[in-house]
């Protein structure tokens, strides 16, 4: 009988010996309030009382109330650490290595069981984390998810750092999980409303390089961070805990940049990066926060294929650019007597430009044998007559541009009525703003509010803009992009009896932009507009028209002159002429002179002039 009971008694004694340590409630609460434990659970103070976690996935928590109780989650984790090691990869120690390490250190747990965590160990050894690089793919207006840029982390091993083979490293990314059938408009709406789940992913860095710099033609900035190997290891430990874990994804706050700042805080808990972004987390602003925290030690700039192509073709004449397009279409042109008569040094530039044009045109396309053959023949010609090494000037670092939120104060008059105007823009850049760190001809404005105070203390809402996007990319002999714009919100327009009405509107348009000389862009777009005007007979008033103008980069800043013309189906014709000259007083300070003249059959022509002070801050 004793022999039968002995194994059971021994097992019971072992289980008792490996039971989780008992802690007083005060000790448990104190440990659960430690900053590092809160970081591991992604907890933040609740709006009412207590805590809530950013993690929106019950599978992440061990306790039923773990999403709102750091103490309950800690207790459940502590109990799980002493579970039967036969659970193997499903053991709490294997699923939560960062929690395990921290609790072992805090409570000096020397009696933990030793499960076989083969999956985690194999994954961790493959990454072999040693150093961290913050990567910023620049803004890309033609993708709703990339209009503000993006951030991800590159995890380098000791071997890749020493050999310089960074393409063999891993990229740590956080992004929205998007259904394939969603179009751009639905994507933007669901992204604003938190309609997508977000997840972390770890994939080869070379794949992300291809996606951003080639498929989307985005410049890449790589910021070497001064995290120690131990700090990088802590972060990667926690990434394993977040596998397949879902967060709600929002474009403007709980996005890629915000989530990565949380990881940096896990790596280095003394950082307080996320606290700087209570409303929005624009990627360029988060890069600036990382720099101001003293984490950046070095920067590498990787130009996109488009930028390389344009830089290579810049010294070519119009006639030589024609040869570029002919060579890219048919490599047999290499044997054309007229081409062979061109000076060999100019041929070298033409051939290299043609080769880069083929690579640009094939970006994102399935492999085409004819294109591959043309590329190969051009490469042979290039090897026989190589061009000089291409040197591309590094643009202003994105984090050195103006900050994204703007306060505005203006004084002006409208038809002899003086006014003061107070304005706020949540994000982030318009055509005339301080240009350093931004491309000329790009505009993204979100959440603009302008309130006027006229003489006699008459206050009124002048404008409430929800979104205004303009992409004026110049066409040239090699590239033929479209320019486009879209805007929606509330604005004041002419009404009956010389009154100005506040109308909701949606408008957009498409057309072309040109760069006739350096620092000058001209544009012309066909437009469509629909609005609700209380003085109109119909509920919705549609209009077609056009928008044209020029944008000149001058010694003071940017000058924008444009005309808009809308022809409504109800017979109303509305025209406007506008001029803005912006003085760049500093990175985060500007002064803008605005003048306009508006025409409508509903009222007499109206003139307006104002001087506006703009302060950029976050």
């Amino acid at each position: 009988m004793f022999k039968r009971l002995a194994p059971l008694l021994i097992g019971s004694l072992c289980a008792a010996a490996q039971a989780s340590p008992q802690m007083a409630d005060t000790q448990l609460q104190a440990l659960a309030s430690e900053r590092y434990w809160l970081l591991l659970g992604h907890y933040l103070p609740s709006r009412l009382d207590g805590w809530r976690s950013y993690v929106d996935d019950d599978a992440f928590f061990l306790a039923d109330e773990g999403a709102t109780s750091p103490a309950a989650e800690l207790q459940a984790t502590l109990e799980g650490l002493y579970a039967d090691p036969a659970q193997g990869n499903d053991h709490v120690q294997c699923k939560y290595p960062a929690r395990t390490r921290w609790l072992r250190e805090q409570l000096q747990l020397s009696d933990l069981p030793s499960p076989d965590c083969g999956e985690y160990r194999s994954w961790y050894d493959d990454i072999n984390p040693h150093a961290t690089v913050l990567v910023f793919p620049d803004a890309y207006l033609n993708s709703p998810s990339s209009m503000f840029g993006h951030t991800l982390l590159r995890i380098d091993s000791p071997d890749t750092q020493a050999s310089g083979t960074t393409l063999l490293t891993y990229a740590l990314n956080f992004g929205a999980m998007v259904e394939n059938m969603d179009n751009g408009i639905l994507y933007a709406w669901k992204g604003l409303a938190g309609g997508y789940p977000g997840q972390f992913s770890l994939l080869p860095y070379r794949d992300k390089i291809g996606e951003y710099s080639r498929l989307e033609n985005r410049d890449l900035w790589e910021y070497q961070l001064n995290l120690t190997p131990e700090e990088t290891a802590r972060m990667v430990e926690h990434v394993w805990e977040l596998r397949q874990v879902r967060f709600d994804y929002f474009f403007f706050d709980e996005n890629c940049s915000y989530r990565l700042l949380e990881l940096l805080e896990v790596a280095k808990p003394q950082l307080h990066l996320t606290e700087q972004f209570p409303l929005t987390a624009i990627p360029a602003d988060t890069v600036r926060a990382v720099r101001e925290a003293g984490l950046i030690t070095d920067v590498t700039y990787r130009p996109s294929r488009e930028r390389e192509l344009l830089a290579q073709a810049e010294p070519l004449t119009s006639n030589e650019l024609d040869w570029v397009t002919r060579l890219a279409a048919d490599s047999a042109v290499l044997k054309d007597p007229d081409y062979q008569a061109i000076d060999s040094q100019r041929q070298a530039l033409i051939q290299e430009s043609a080769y880069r044009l083929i690579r640009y045109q094939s970006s994102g396309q399935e492999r085409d044998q004819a294109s591959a053959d043309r590329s190969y023949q051009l490469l042979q010609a290039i090897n026989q007559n190589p061009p000089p090494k291409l040197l591309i000037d590094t643009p202003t670092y994105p984090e050195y541009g103006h900050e994204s939120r703007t306060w505005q104060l203006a004084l002006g008059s409208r038809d002899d009525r003086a006014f003061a105007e107070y304005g706020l823009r949540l994000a982030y850049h318009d055509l005339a703003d301080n240009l350093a760190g931004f491309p000329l001809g790009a505009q993204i404005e979100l959440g603009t509010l302008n309130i006027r105070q006229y003489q006699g203390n008459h206050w009124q809402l002048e404008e409430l803009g929800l979104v205004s996007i303009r992409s004026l990319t110049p066409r040239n002999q090699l590239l033929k992009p479209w320019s486009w714009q879209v805007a929606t919100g509330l604005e004041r327009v002419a009404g009956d009896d010389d009154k100005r009405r506040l109308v909701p509107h949606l408008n957009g348009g498409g057309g072309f932009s040109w760069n006739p000389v350096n620092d000058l862009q001209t544009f012309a777009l066909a437009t469509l507009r629909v609005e609700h005007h209380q003085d109109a007979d119909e509920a919705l008033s549609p209009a077609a028209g056009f928008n044209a103008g020029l944008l000149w980069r001058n010694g003071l800043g940017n000058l924008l002159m444009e005309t808009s013309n809308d022809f409504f189906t109800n017979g109303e014709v509305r025209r406007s002429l506008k001029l803005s000259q912006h003085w760049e007083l500093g990175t985060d300070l500007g002064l803008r002179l605005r003048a306009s003249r508006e025409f409508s059959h509903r009222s007499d022509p109206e003139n307006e002039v104002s001087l506006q002070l703009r302060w950029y801050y976050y």
Side-chain angles (χ1 to χ4, degrees), residues 403-408 423-426 614-617:
E403 301 203 41
S404 60
R405 195 168 299 158
T406 310
W407 285 105
Q408 304 145 24
L424 168 68
R425 181 182 67 192
L426 292 181
R614 301 173 69 88
W615 173 42
Y616 308 85
Y617 86 105

Side-chain angles (χ1 to χ4, degrees), residues 119-352:
E119 288 184 5
Y120 166 68
R121 184 48 54 190
S122 176
W123 176 86
Y124 184 90
D125 290 345
D126 185 44
I127 299 169
N128 194 12
H130 180 75
T132 306
V133 176
L134 175 66
V135 181
F136 177 76
D138 215 344
Y140 181 64
L141 291 184
N142 290 332
S143 171
S145 65
S146 306
M147 289 181 177
F148 297 96
H150 184 61
T151 53
L152 60 145
L153 295 176
R154 194 183 79 213
I155 309 299
D156 290 354
S157 68
D159 295 337
T160 54
Q161 282 242 315
S163 62
T165 55
T166 55
L167 294 182
L168 302 179
T169 59
Y170 283 92
L172 177 57
N173 184 65
F174 180 82
M177 300 173 62
V178 183
E179 293 84 356
N180 292 331
M181 299 301 293
D182 288 357
N183 58 36
I185 296 176
L186 182 59
Y187 180 87
W189 169 251
K190 293 176 71 174
L192 289 170
Y196 291 117
Q199 280 189 351
F200 285 97
S201 61
L202 197 68
L203 63 164
Y205 184 56
R206 63 178 178 272
D207 293 347
K208 299 305 291 184
I209 287 284
E211 176 184 343
Y212 291 124
S213 65
R214 293 175 176 84
L215 300 187
E216 292 188 352
N217 292 304
R218 300 165 71 176
D219 292 345
L220 281 165
W221 302 82
E222 299 172 336
Y223 300 88
Q224 183 71 51
L225 305 184
N226 61 3
L227 297 183
T228 66
E230 292 75 18
E231 291 167 340
T232 297
R234 281 205 297 264
M235 181 174 64
V236 172
E237 277 182 345
H238 183 53
V239 171
W240 173 263
E241 300 177 341
L242 298 174
R243 294 173 309 140
Q244 306 304 315
V245 170
R246 297 190 175 198
F247 295 76
D248 284 342
Y249 184 94
F250 294 87
F251 277 169
F252 301 134
D253 51 3
E254 297 181 41
N255 55 22
C256 61
S257 296
Y258 190 89
R259 293 277 89 90
L260 294 184
L261 292 183
E262 287 185 312
L263 291 185
L264 293 178
E265 291 179 339
V266 168
K268 204 179 186 75
Q270 58 268 42
L271 296 173
H272 292 268
L273 299 172
T274 56
E275 297 173 4
Q276 303 175 40
F277 302 96
L279 294 178
T280 59
I282 304 299
D285 289 333
T286 63
V287 174
R288 185 181 299 111
V290 170
R291 177 176 288 281
E292 291 174 351
L295 293 175
I296 296 174
T297 60
D298 192 24
V299 183
T300 300
Y301 168 63
R302 292 180 182 268
S304 67
R305 279 188 173 179
E306 179 178 323
R307 189 179 290 270
E308 290 176 336
L309 169 60
L310 295 177
Q312 186 68 55
E314 185 177 7
L316 300 179
T317 66
S318 177
N319 184 56
E320 290 169 338
L321 290 172
D322 287 337
W323 283 111
V324 170
T325 56
R326 292 177 60 186
L327 270 177
D330 183 4
S331 56
V333 173
L334 289 167
K335 299 179 181 179
D336 188 309
D338 291 336
Y339 178 73
Q340 293 181 342
I342 298 174
D343 178 79
S344 62
Q345 293 182 348
R346 306 305 293 179
Q347 282 187 21
L349 295 175
I350 293 170
Q351 291 163 180
E352 179 68 21

